[in-house]
Amino acid sequence: MTRRILVTGGAGFVGSHLVAALLERGDDVTVFDDLSTGHRAAVLPGARLIVGDLADAAALDAALAPGGWHAVFHFAALSLVGDSMRQPMHYLRTNIGNGLALIDACVRHGVPRFVLSSTAALFGSAGAGAIDESAAIDPGSPYGESKAALERALLWADRIHGLRSAALRYFNAAGADPAGRLGEDHRPESHLVPLVIDAALGRRAEMSIFGTDYPTPDGTCVRDYVHVTDLAQAHLCALAQLNHSSVTYNLGNGAGTSVLEVIRAVERVGGRKVPVAIAPRRPGDPAFLVAASGRIRREAGWNPEYGAIDAIVASAWAWREAHPLGYAG
Ligand SMILES: NC(=O)c1ccc[n+]([C@@H]2O[C@H](COP(=O)([O-])OP(=O)(O)OC[C@H]3O[C@@H](n4cnc5c(N)ncnc54)[C@H](O)[C@@H]3O)[C@@H](O)[C@H]2O)c1
């Protein structure tokens, strides 16, 4: 049976990879995206693109009007932690306002399942252990706060309206479609893997390492990188769980990788030296942010295929090298 799926933000990095996975299994996919940070060319042929802003209630209503939805995936959001510290009310109003409007519209249009792109930024003051779903929610930024608010709103939508939902807390999404059709093109780019690759390719003068005196094995910050195609598969696993109940999953590799280790991986994969500059710590960067993602593996059978950092970097390298101008090329 063909499932009808709406993906907000499906022209963005993570959303476009989910769209690829949905199309591969024969779903009927509509992307709703204002292309503010996404790219028309990231929406694969086979998916329908509606260019619209979630803040436009009439456009959202029109998009959902056909009915018969199996699920809505909600990726569209403002997602820069630093920006959110400069414009807190803008982030809270936009992410919470748009998210609530979408949840409300889903309830009105009889959508039975909802999947939220949540974030590790819920756990602002994390310690040195891997973080599981029972860890205290303590957002270190208005961005994290906005996702926490939507997670809470979804609990009520389930209790009162029966809208089943999955809150998926991504740690660091990285890599690119192994088939080479899609990749990471944020503007400006703020994610580590593409920045390091650009430094290796000579497209940036150097890669800054912010802090080498953290209490980690090599002194640089440790994060949990998940291949974006594995992340897309996690969405399909979570979606299947919604036939039973609402779920919350932390999504990471469970293996921490330091900034220096990412740089070494790029040097190995690309065969080029990365020019680095040591800079002071950035305020608010936790030393260690790693997910314990045993719950989704156990309950939903998620089994990441591209766990090794070299595999993640290799796919990102291939796309970035082939697309010097990103999707604009
Ligand atoms: N990339 C990561 O490592 C990461 C980590 C944790 C959480 N997340 C979350 O995952 C989601 C996707 O992240 P991404 O890296 O793919 O971001 P992205 O910027 O590449 O994608 C977001 C998409 O949403 C669209 N969009 C934004 N505002 C919109 C609006 N008002 N109406 C319609 N469309 C709108 C953009 O045009 C873009 O296509 C975000 O919600 C983000 O908070 C991402």
Side-chain angles (χ1 to χ4, degrees):
M1 198 192 67
T2 306
R3 303 174 196 81
R4 178 172 287 174
I5 311 263
L6 186 82
V7 183
T8 78
F13 173 48
V14 188
S16 61
H17 286 79
L18 173 72
V19 169
L22 294 170
L23 291 175
E24 258 152 50
R25 64 178 209 168
D27 290 344
D28 173 21
V29 183
T30 300
V31 169
F32 186 90
D33 198 302
D34 67 358
L35 302 179
S36 52
T37 60
H39 311 274
R40 193 177 284 275
V43 180
L44 290 175
R48 196 174 300 108
L49 171 63
I50 298 174
V51 179
D53 183 343
L54 281 174
D56 179 346
L60 186 56
D61 243 10
L64 285 166
W69 299 100
H70 181 79
V72 167
F73 289 83
H74 178 39
F75 293 89
L78 301 175
S79 54
L80 298 174
V81 172
D83 260 8
S84 84
M85 298 298 279
R86 287 183 287 276
Q87 313 178 66
M89 295 309 137
H90 176 54
Y91 262 69
L92 291 168
R93 192 172 55 235
T94 306
N95 284 356
I96 299 176
N98 287 350
L100 292 181
L102 178 64
I103 295 166
D104 199 22
C106 286
V107 169
R108 277 186 283 107
H109 287 274
V111 176
R113 302 171 190 82
F114 189 101
V115 180
L116 172 70
S117 297
S118 190
T119 173
L122 295 182
F123 310 109
S125 54
I131 302 165
D132 71 13
E133 291 80 1
S134 68
I137 303 296
D138 177 22
S141 65
Y143 164 65
E145 189 71 50
S146 71
K147 299 285 185 171
L150 292 182
E151 286 198 9
R152 295 288 309 168
L154 284 168
L155 296 181
W156 291 107
D158 184 357
R159 256 183 236 173
I160 296 172
H161 299 294
L163 174 63
R164 295 254 176 92
S165 63
L168 303 183
R169 286 99 171 242
Y170 317 157
F171 281 58
N172 292 72
D177 173 34
R181 301 164 295 178
L182 305 166
E184 183 163 14
D185 185 2
H186 292 113
R187 297 181 197 189
E189 191 53 77
S190 62
H191 293 88
L192 183 69
V193 172
L195 289 176
V196 177
I197 291 174
D198 279 0
L201 288 168
R203 294 176 190 157
R204 302 171 59 83
E206 61 197 12
M207 185 64 218
S208 299
I209 302 178
F210 296 102
T212 52
D213 57 350
Y214 283 96
T216 58
D218 64 21
T220 65
C221 286
V222 171
R223 297 287 179 271
D224 189 333
Y225 298 89
V226 194
H227 195 287
V228 65
T229 298
D230 284 331
L231 211 46
Q233 289 304 319
H235 286 70
L236 303 187
C237 295
L239 179 64
Q241 285 304 104
L242 297 187
N243 295 332
H244 313 296
S245 66
S246 290
V247 291
T248 298
Y249 293 132
N250 288 3
L251 293 179
N253 256 324
T257 308
S258 74
V259 173
L260 264 180
E261 284 169 334
V262 169
I263 290 172
R264 298 292 167 252
V266 168
E267 291 180 336
R268 270 194 305 279
V269 166
R272 303 191 198 184
K273 202 83 193 125
V274 175
V276 299
I278 308 298
R281 288 183 183 197
R282 286 184 304 200
D285 267 349
F288 185 90
L289 211 49
V290 173
S293 39
R295 185 191 280 183
I296 184 169
R297 292 170 198 249
R298 255 187 338 269
E299 289 183 3
W302 182 51
N303 187 15
E305 205 180 319
Y306 306 98
I309 190 67
D310 282 28
I312 293 173
V313 164
S315 62
W317 178 283
W319 194 80
R320 231 163 155 86
E321 194 177 33
H323 300 84
L325 301 175
Y327 286 106

